Amino acid sequence: MTEPTATPPGPGPASGPASGAASGASPSAASAAKANRQAARLRAALREREGRVQELERRLIALETSTTVQFGRLVAGAARNPRRRGVRLPRELYRLWKKRNIPSVAPTVRESDRLQLDHVDRPEDRLLISQPCEGLVIAGVLGRDAAATLSGEAKVVALHPHDATIVIETADVDLLVVDTAAGEPGGAWAYLGVPGMYDRDRVLHEVRRLARDRGLPLVLWGEAPAPTLAVLDWDARATTFARLSAAVATPAATAAP
């Protein structure tokens, strides 16, 4: 009688954890990429604010050394203390008048006196969250029904006419979705797309322009859009969440000619 031969163990059990680790690397890489993009945008905004602060400092120094401000200070000082400074006021005004045509070099703020932001905690580091959203983040001009539908599938950042341009510039979103029913009466975007209601259309056009500058796909959600919305250039038109995901995954394939 021959003994049964034992079959060597296959690689099936050992390959399970490895494949699971490989599949788990993708979400973490996507999260890291999204966090890096957000950090880059915040650092760019911080550099812009630093430039504005430096410009304001230069303007303030020029204003402090101007003849108008010095004249006002002399008169105000004499009015506060007329007994002591009122007597000297004519002489000080005459001295100021003689120097009116002398070009003055405004002192600049030394780099050593300026706050070095590289040595302190950056504001954007406090704004970064440890676990950014790994799903789809939608910036939406939405009606009530569309907002309820998309909120169950993704994170929705609602845009309103009074803050839409600010939010679309600063929020970490993946695409812009405009609902064909957003202009229904009673909503924040009431009468959007209605001829003659230009205020809503102007805001929407500015939001679309900012989204284009950021490279965000523009998607029209819903059916039977108003003619003023239908003629606009959209990267995709969708009525299902799967179509939205496809617009983000392959924007070039869904782009309108």
Side-chain angles (χ1 to χ4, degrees), residues 14-180:
S15 62
S19 62
S23 62
S26 178
S28 60
S31 301
K34 180 171 289 190
N36 290 334
R37 290 196 302 269
Q38 184 180 11
R41 282 196 296 270
L42 291 171
R43 287 194 172 92
L46 181 62
R47 286 194 297 270
E48 181 182 359
R49 286 195 294 269
E50 290 177 2
R52 292 180 181 178
V53 169
Q54 294 176 13
E55 177 64 23
L56 290 175
E57 287 178 347
R58 288 192 292 268
R59 292 185 180 184
L60 180 60
I61 292 174
L63 181 63
E64 291 285 341
T65 57
S66 66
T67 304
T68 303
V69 173
Q70 295 182 44
F71 174 83
R73 285 178 174 173
L74 291 176
V75 174
R80 285 195 302 267
N81 192 352
R83 178 174 300 180
R84 295 182 54 188
R85 304 191 62 177
V87 178
R88 300 192 309 235
L89 180 61
R91 184 172 62 254
E92 292 175 345
L93 291 178
Y94 177 71
R95 187 183 301 115
L96 182 63
W97 177 78
K98 287 202 306 182
K99 296 189 302 182
R100 69 189 186 281
N101 294 326
I102 299 177
S104 60
V105 180
T108 58
V109 179
R110 296 179 301 175
E111 292 298 326
S112 58
D113 297 336
R114 191 183 304 279
L115 178 63
Q116 300 295 327
L117 296 178
D118 290 333
H119 303 295
V120 298
D121 294 335
R122 291 183 174 274
E124 66 268 23
D125 293 336
R126 296 196 298 268
L127 294 175
L128 289 175
I129 56 177
S130 59
Q131 295 180 348
C133 180
E134 298 181 1
L136 198 63
V137 183
I138 299 172
V141 178
L142 307 173
R144 286 185 291 269
D145 295 340
T149 300
L150 295 177
S151 297
E153 301 288 347
K155 178 178 177 58
V156 175
V157 179
L159 302 180
H160 301 89
H162 66 279
D163 64 355
T165 55
I166 299 175
V167 174
I168 199 65
E169 280 187 308
T170 57
D172 186 17
V173 297
D174 298 310
L175 75 165
L176 172 65
V177 177
V178 178
D179 182 18
T180 58

Side-chain angles (χ1 to χ4, degrees), residues 184-256:
E184 293 180 349
W189 292 88
Y191 307 109
L192 173 66
V194 176
M197 305 299 292
Y198 302 114
D199 54 342
R200 297 287 189 264
D201 292 336
R202 280 197 298 265
V203 176
L204 178 61
H205 289 328
E206 181 65 15
V207 170
R208 283 168 46 86
R209 184 188 67 80
L210 295 173
R212 285 291 190 199
D213 293 342
R214 290 187 54 185
L216 301 177
L218 307 182
V219 180
L220 182 62
W221 174 273
E223 299 177 350
T228 54
L229 295 178
V231 298
L232 298 177
D233 181 27
W234 302 98
D235 293 323
R237 298 189 179 188
T239 56
T240 61
F241 182 74
R243 181 64 172 167
L244 292 182
S245 302
V248 177
T250 56
T254 59

